[in-house]
C-alpha cells in the first residue's frame, strides 16, 4: 500500500485507492469528479433490453433486470450503497442475485459489503488477492502512518486511519466483501433469456480488468478500460499498461457489433465511436513516445515536452496526462 493521505486525494489517487476504500467501514468520501449536491447523487439511465446505467459517486454502475433476478456491475462506495439499492428498487423488486466487479479499485468495489449477504460477488481471479490480505496490511502499515498523521495534526487522516485499524482488528475473513466466484478468462451468467458474458482482458487499467457484455440487450460495461472523453488512468502499480489498453479495447471491438451501447467506467454512456476515441488517445500517446525515443530523448525530456493538444478538452488532462505518458514511455522501452 502506498502512502495514504485521504485529505489530499485527487481523482486518480482516489481511483487507485484500492483496499482502503473497499475495506474500511466508513470510507472517506473521495473528492472526485462525481461529487454532486446532496440529493443529486444518482442519475438513472434506462438503456436497452432491461439494462440500466446508474451514475453515482464512483465508477458507473450497470444493472440488468431479468425475469427472475437482477445482475449488477460494480458497487461504488459503501456509504451510498443504500441509495444504490433504492435506485434499483425504483425499477424492480426482483432479487439482486449477482454482482460482478470490473476490477478491484475502491470506487467500483467499495459497496460490495452492502450486497454480499444476498448477491454472489463475481470477479476475475486476481480480485481476491487485493481484498483478502487487507487487514494484515492495514495492521502492518497504518500504525506508523497514524503516528505521522498525529504529529502533523491532520485530524481527518487520524480519524480515517484509526477507523481502518479498528476495522482490521475485528474483521473476520468471511466478512470481507471479496469475490466468491472467480474466473480465469471468461464466464457466462444466464438470467431469464439474457446471457451475460464476462471477459477478462489483457492488462490495461489494471491486470484484473473485465468487461461485461449483455448479449441480447447489446450493451457492454467497460469498467475503467474506458473513460468517456476523459484522460484514462493507467494504474501501473496494479499491473496496468498503455499497450495493454490497445489490446484490451481491440479485443472488445472485435467481438461486439458496431451498434453496441457502451457504459464507460467514468463519464456518460456512449457508443463504439467514443470507445474508439479513447483507444486513439492511447495510440497517439504511444506514438509520441516512440517518436521522442527515436529522436534520442530521455524519458524526462519526453515527459517535460509531451503535449497532445487535441485531447486538452478531455477531463483530467492536467491531472492524469503525464501519468499516462509515463506509462506509455515505459511500455515502448520495455515492450517495443
Ligand atoms: Zn479503476
Amino acid at each position: 500500500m502506498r502512502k495514504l493521505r485521504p485529505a489530499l486525494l485527487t481523482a486518480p489517487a482516489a481511483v487507485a485507492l484500492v483496499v482502503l476504500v473497499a475495506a474500511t467501514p466508513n470510507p472517506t468520501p473521495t473528492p472526485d469528479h462525481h461529487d454532486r449536491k446532496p440529493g443529486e447523487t444518482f442519475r438513472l439511465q434506462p438503456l436497452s433490453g432491461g439494462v440500466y446505467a446508474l451514475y453515482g459517486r464512483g465508477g458507473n454502475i450497470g444493472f440488468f433486470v431479468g425475469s427472475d433476478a437482477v445482475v449488477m456491475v460494480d458497487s461504488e462506495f459503501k456509504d451510498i450503497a443504500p441509495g444504490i439499492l433504492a435506485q434499483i428498487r425504483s425499477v424492480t423488486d426482483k432479487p439482486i442475485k449477482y454482482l460482478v466487479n470490473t476490477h478491484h479499485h475502491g470506487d467500483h468495489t467499495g459497496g460490495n459489503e452492502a450486497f454480499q449477504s444476498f448477491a454472489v460477488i463475481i470477479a476475475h481471479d486476481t480480485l481476491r488477492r487485493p481484498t483478502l490480505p487487507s487487514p494484515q496490511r492495514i495492521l502492518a502499515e497504518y500504525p506508523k502512518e497514524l503516528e505521522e498523521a498525529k504529529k502533523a495534526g491532520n485530524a481527518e487522516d487520524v480519524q480515517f486511519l484509526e477507523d481502518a485499524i479498528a476495522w482490521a482488528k475485528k474483521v473476520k475473513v468471511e466478512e470481507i466483501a471479496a469475490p466468491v466466484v472467480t474466473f480465469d478468462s471468461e464466464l457466462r451468467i444466464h438470467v431469464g433469456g439474457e446471457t451475460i458474458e464476462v471477459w477478462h482482458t489483457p492488462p490495461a487499467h489494471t491486470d484484473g480488468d473485465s468487461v461485461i457484455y449483455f448479449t441480447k440487450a447489446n450493451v457492454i460495461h467497460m469498467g475503467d478500460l474506458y473513460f468517456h472523453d476523459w484522460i484514462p488512468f493507467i494504474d501501473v502499480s496494479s499491473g496496468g499498461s498503455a499497450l495493454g489498453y490497445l489490446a484490451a479495447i481491440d479485443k472488445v471491438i472485435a467481438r461486439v457489433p458496431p451498434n453496441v451501447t457502451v457504459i464507460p467506467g467514468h463519464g456518460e454512456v456512449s457508443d463504439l465511436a467514443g470507445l474508439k476515441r479513447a483507444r486513439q488517445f492511447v495510440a497517439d500517446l504511444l506514438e509520441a513516445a516512440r517518436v521522442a525515443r527515436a529522436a534520442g530523448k530521455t524519458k524526462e525530456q519526453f515527459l517535460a515536452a509531451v503535449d497532445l493538444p487535441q485531447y486538452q478538452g478531455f477531463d483530467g488532462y492536467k491531472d492524469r496526462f503525464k501519468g499516462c505518458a509515463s506509462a506509455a514511455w515505459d511500455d515502448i522501452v520495455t515492450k517495443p
Side-chain angles (χ1 to χ4, degrees), residues 15 103 105 107-108 205 224 233 266:
V15 293
H103 64 295
H105 285 157
D107 58 329
H108 296 255
H205 178 64
D224 282 357
F233 170 52
H266 297 269

Side-chain angles (χ1 to χ4, degrees), residues 24-323:
T24 43
N26 294 302
T28 305
T30 47
D32 65 12
H33 295 275
H34 303 276
D35 281 346
R36 297 193 175 99
K37 291 181 193 128
E40 293 179 1
T41 304
F42 299 107
R43 188 158 46 87
L44 194 58
Q45 183 178 355
L47 304 173
S48 53
V51 177
Y52 294 76
L54 176 58
Y55 304 93
R57 215 189 58 235
N60 295 331
I61 288 173
F63 67 92
F64 165 73
V65 180
S67 54
D68 58 345
V70 174
V71 180
M72 256 178 97
V73 178
D74 286 344
S75 61
E76 300 201 335
F77 295 108
K78 191 189 170 191
D79 64 322
I80 55 168
I84 294 167
L85 200 52
Q87 289 292 320
I88 296 173
R89 287 289 162 253
S90 75
V91 294
T92 180
D93 57 3
K94 301 271 181 349
I96 301 168
K97 284 194 180 169
Y98 306 100
L99 165 57
V100 186
N101 288 144
T102 56
H103 64 295
H104 71 266
H105 285 157
D107 58 329
H108 296 255
T109 59
N112 279 7
E113 203 179 315
F115 299 93
Q116 73 179 133
S117 66
F118 48 84
V120 175
I121 301 177
I122 301 169
H124 185 254
D125 291 334
T126 53
L127 266 71
R128 271 185 79 81
R129 178 164 43 85
T131 40
L132 280 181
S134 59
Q136 291 91 319
R137 207 179 312 162
I138 287 170
L139 292 175
E141 295 177 9
Y142 287 13
K144 189 162 167 278
E145 297 205 17
L146 178 60
E147 287 315 305
E148 286 169 10
K150 280 179 179 169
K151 265 186 219 153
N154 189 330
E156 194 182 344
D157 282 12
V158 167
Q159 185 65 53
F160 186 84
L161 293 161
E162 281 180 348
D163 284 353
I165 291 167
W167 172 86
K169 279 181 179 164
K170 68 174 170 50
V171 72
K172 297 185 184 117
V173 68
E174 63 273 22
E175 293 171 347
I176 300 173
V180 291
V181 172
T182 66
F183 65 95
D184 178 21
S185 58
E186 298 199 3
L187 174 139
R188 272 160 286 283
I189 306 167
H190 303 272
V191 173
E194 179 62 284
T195 299
I196 299 151
E197 299 193 352
V198 188
W199 311 330
H200 180 49
T201 58
H205 178 64
T206 69
D207 62 4
D209 304 313
S210 296
V211 299
I212 291 82
Y213 181 45
F214 302 89
T215 56
K216 211 171 195 178
N218 193 24
V219 177
I220 191 159
H221 191 308
M222 291 294 296
D224 282 357
L225 291 176
Y226 177 31
F227 289 10
H228 183 182
D229 289 350
W230 289 26
I231 300 298
F233 170 52
I234 303 173
D235 186 358
V236 174
S237 68
S238 295
S241 150
L243 281 168
Y245 258 92
L246 303 187
I249 293 174
D250 285 346
K251 174 173 175 168
V252 170
I253 289 173
R255 292 183 66 166
V256 294
N259 62 345
V260 67
T261 299
V262 186
I263 303 176
H266 297 269
E268 298 291 314
V269 166
S270 150
D271 55 14
L272 207 58
L275 180 60
K276 286 179 176 171
R277 269 197 308 281
R279 186 198 184 282
Q280 193 59 46
F281 165 76
V282 180
D284 288 348
L285 193 54
L286 283 160
E287 183 56 21
R290 280 190 200 101
V291 167
R293 189 155 190 252
K297 307 282 189 216
T298 64
K299 180 178 179 181
E300 288 66 33
Q301 288 168 333
F302 167 65
L303 290 180
V306 63
D307 189 21
L308 297 177
Q310 66 272 40
Y311 297 105
Q312 274 173 5
F314 276 24
D315 184 291
Y317 192 83
K318 269 195 183 135
D319 299 332
R320 292 188 296 276
F321 179 69
K322 296 284 170 157

